[in-house]
Amino acid sequence: MNVLKKKIPSYIVNAISVIAIYLIISQLVWIGVINNYYLGIIIVIGINIILSTSLNLTTGFLGQLTLGHAGFMSIGAYASALFSINANLPESIEFYFALLVGGICAAIVGILVGIPALRLRGDYLAIITLGFGEIIRVIILNLDFTGGAKGLFGIPYATNFTNVFFIMLLTIYIIWTVIDSRHGRAIKSIREDEIAAEAAGVPTTYYKLFAFTLGSFFAGIAGGLYSHYILIIDAAKFDFNRSIEILVIVVLGGMGSLTGAILAAVTLTILPEYLREFSEYRMLIYAVILIFAMIFRPKGLLGTSEFSLLKVFQFIKRKVIG
Amino acid sequence: MTKLLDVKNLSVSFGGLKAVNQFEIQIGSQELVGLIGPNGAGKTTVFNLLTGVYTPTEGSILLDGNSLIGKGSNKIVNMGVARTFQNIRLFKNLSVIDNVKIAFQSQMKYSALAAVLRLPSYWKEEKLFEEKALDLLKIFKLENFAYQKACNLPYGEQRKLEIARALATEPKLLLLDEPAAGMNPSETNELMETIRLVKEKFEIAILLIEHDMSLVMGICEKVAVLEYGSIIASGSPEQIQNDPRVIASYLGESD
Ligand SMILES: Nc1ncnc2c1ncn2[C@@H]1O[C@H](COP(=O)(O)OP(=O)(O)OP(=O)(O)O)[C@@H](O)[C@H]1O
Ligand SMILES: [Mg+2]
């Protein structure tokens, strides 16, 4: 079967759905159904989707547990914020340069952390990223130019629904096209069996570093979006709990499923907002839901499968037309 | 005539145990050689040394005159030595065809950027290697399973898929670790026929570990016998069958 012909229909369906979602949400904002409070939640959902799809690259597809994703997010957040505060570029492009700076800084640190951790077989990455997340938090707390414990002020407001939405799309698109290529197959083969991957000619150290660095890059981008939305950042916003929150999204959505991570990011961002009414019990209920999810769907909502709109449409068509 | 593989004085120890001791073997191009020996003789360890999983404490391994010592496993694959594993190691949750396509790694060239931009090089190579993978699967009658998960294959088919994956790396030397383990006699015969065919078609040398002596005698041109990590005899199947040491220590066993 021709590879191209097989994939084109799903490309078209996905593109149309994505545009439809964007138009519907912006229309709802326009007529006032979605107020600023909801819009804020939607922006956070977008940022969480970037965080969880990028973590999924390392933890879901590569199969290496990472416990410091918030650390990379913080590097992106501070680097891009400092860039925006200090640079004097035209307003329309400054934000995008700032995001890029945030992503690149996070990626460089990713390489530095990844090289010693990923050359070894086994779960060294979990331990090293756990340590890294805490170290970076302490460093930020003790430096002057990061604002220390007071936090960093004066970040220009630049993140909005439209740019979050399209940067989120771009992130998903890039990660998905990489996964659906020879590079992605190499990454997945390492998760399946590292020794067999080597025996099949896969340069495993290279691909481990590649996936981890790309994941760190997008965590940095997410950090940049976050700092230009929240406007005041401090080290406590990127602590170990934040890393675990992102990890829970990936685990619940399905390790190695992009659509699973997206669905879980939406659910797990909205859920705590609703549970706010029971704020005393909020984290408790959250935990119980997670425990039940782990009992009944131990591989996550979708496991390693992907949700396909095209298949849904084909299913409906079969049911309706017969 | 220079040999494809030339191994001399190869040794490795685990703690106090000399698992492989002064091992020697020569394999010519397109030769089919059997490596036999009792449980724990060190056969799999020899494969692990040849493929860079373990580093030998002494000895030399030359492939076409180039040393393999100290090279990483994936480098050695690219130099032309591919293998299968005694305890099947497939990419279980990936499709059968992806298992093979992963092994085309070094032959596929398009960059990650080409994949993201879906450039013509992406489509061209994906199509070409999809077809190549299907051709390989056909040799082992696996083409109808191509898009199923590898873990759903019956046991015998999983062993065949491992051989197909190894062949995808375009080896000069293929190492098969008990490829017929767990198969019934008729499946085994069919597999041995396929192995012989593969050798002719791809013009490669094969080193085959097998527990069942009679099976090795049937298809191998040369047989080497390993015991306690050392070669105790090697030669044609007839020579081996008549070697007094082999008879004493191996054929005599009621294994
Ligand atoms: N990584 C290791 N660490 C310690 N000992 C090992 C290791 N690998 C192999 N051995 C030991 O080396 C010896 C040879 O093992 P090997 O697996 O090579 O035997 P084999 O000839 O393949 O046996 P079988 O026919 O059972 O597959 C055994 O005593 C085994 O316990
Ligand atoms: Mg063995």
Side-chain angles (χ1 to χ4, degrees), chain B residues 84-95:
Chain B
T84 64
F85 295 89
Q86 183 170 359
N87 318 305
I88 307 174
R89 282 178 175 269
L90 288 173
F91 308 124
K92 291 198 188 70
N93 293 304
L94 305 184
S95 68

Side-chain angles (χ1 to χ4, degrees), chain B residues 145-188:
Chain B
F145 299 106
Y147 298 97
Q148 295 183 16
K149 274 191 183 182
C151 59
N152 293 335
L153 285 182
Y155 185 79
E157 267 59 37
Q158 294 195 13
R159 286 219 170 271
K160 292 182 195 166
L161 176 57
E162 247 203 332
I163 303 177
R165 182 179 70 188
L167 284 171
T169 65
E170 295 196 323
K172 295 177 208 161
L173 172 65
L174 177 61
L175 309 175
L176 301 175
D177 198 343
E178 303 200 19
M183 290 187 179
N184 66 35
S186 80
E187 284 172 329
T188 305

Side-chain angles (χ1 to χ4, degrees), chain B residues 43-45 86 177-178 209:
Chain B
K43 305 181 295 291
T44 300
T45 307
Q86 183 170 359
D177 198 343
E178 303 200 19
I209 292 179

Side-chain angles (χ1 to χ4, degrees), chain A residues 274-287:
Chain A
Y274 276 96
L275 298 178
R276 205 165 277 230
E277 292 160 37
F278 318 90
S279 59
E280 282 162 67
Y281 306 108
R282 183 179 143 210
M283 287 322 279
L284 181 70
I285 298 171
Y286 191 51

Side-chain angles (χ1 to χ4, degrees), chain B residues 4-146:
Chain B
L4 175 67
L5 182 78
D6 190 353
V7 180
K8 286 208 177 80
N9 293 330
L10 198 66
S11 303
V12 73
S13 308
F14 300 114
L17 175 83
K18 273 219 156 182
V20 172
N21 189 10
Q22 304 284 314
F23 176 85
E24 293 204 357
I25 203 162
Q26 277 85 41
I27 299 177
S29 49
Q30 300 186 47
E31 222 171 10
L32 180 45
V33 179
L35 181 62
I36 60 172
N39 281 112
K43 305 181 295 291
T44 300
T45 307
V46 167
F47 273 22
N48 285 334
L49 290 170
L50 294 180
T51 54
V53 177
Y54 301 147
T55 314
T57 41
E58 61 172 324
S60 67
I61 307 169
L62 298 179
L63 183 81
D64 277 335
N66 301 313
S67 174
L68 300 186
I69 308 270
K71 298 248 163 39
S73 289
N74 72 67
K75 277 254 173 57
I76 291 176
V77 178
N78 293 335
M79 290 173 76
V81 183
R83 73 174 291 184
T84 64
F85 295 89
Q86 183 170 359
N87 318 305
I88 307 174
R89 282 178 175 269
L90 288 173
F91 308 124
K92 291 198 188 70
N93 293 304
L94 305 184
S95 68
V96 166
I97 194 160
D98 275 357
N99 268 267
V100 177
K101 279 167 97 178
I102 284 163
F104 287 129
Q105 185 61 32
S106 65
Q107 297 153 62
M108 295 179 89
K109 295 289 178 231
Y110 68 79
S111 65
L113 192 65
V116 169
L117 300 177
R118 302 272 123 147
L119 296 181
S121 61
Y122 167 85
W123 296 111
K124 220 172 73 192
E125 284 188 30
E126 283 295 322
K127 185 165 180 284
L128 177 70
F129 285 95
E130 177 108 352
E131 283 160 9
K132 277 191 157 196
L134 282 171
D135 286 344
L136 267 175
L137 290 176
K138 271 183 200 136
I139 294 176
F140 296 92
K141 301 197 179 70
L142 290 170
E143 71 273 21
N144 291 331
F145 299 106

Side-chain angles (χ1 to χ4, degrees), chain A residues 45-92:
Chain A
I45 288 176
I47 293 171
N48 279 344
I49 288 177
I50 298 175
L51 287 168
S52 52
T53 45
S54 60
L55 180 65
N56 210 349
L57 194 58
T58 326
T59 299
F61 290 102
L62 179 66
Q64 297 273 327
L65 186 58
T66 312
L67 297 173
H69 213 52
F72 293 103
M73 184 190 178
S74 74
I75 288 175
Y78 276 91
S80 65
L82 288 167
F83 182 87
S84 290
I85 292 168
N86 295 309
N88 277 316
L89 294 176
E91 211 174 310
S92 56

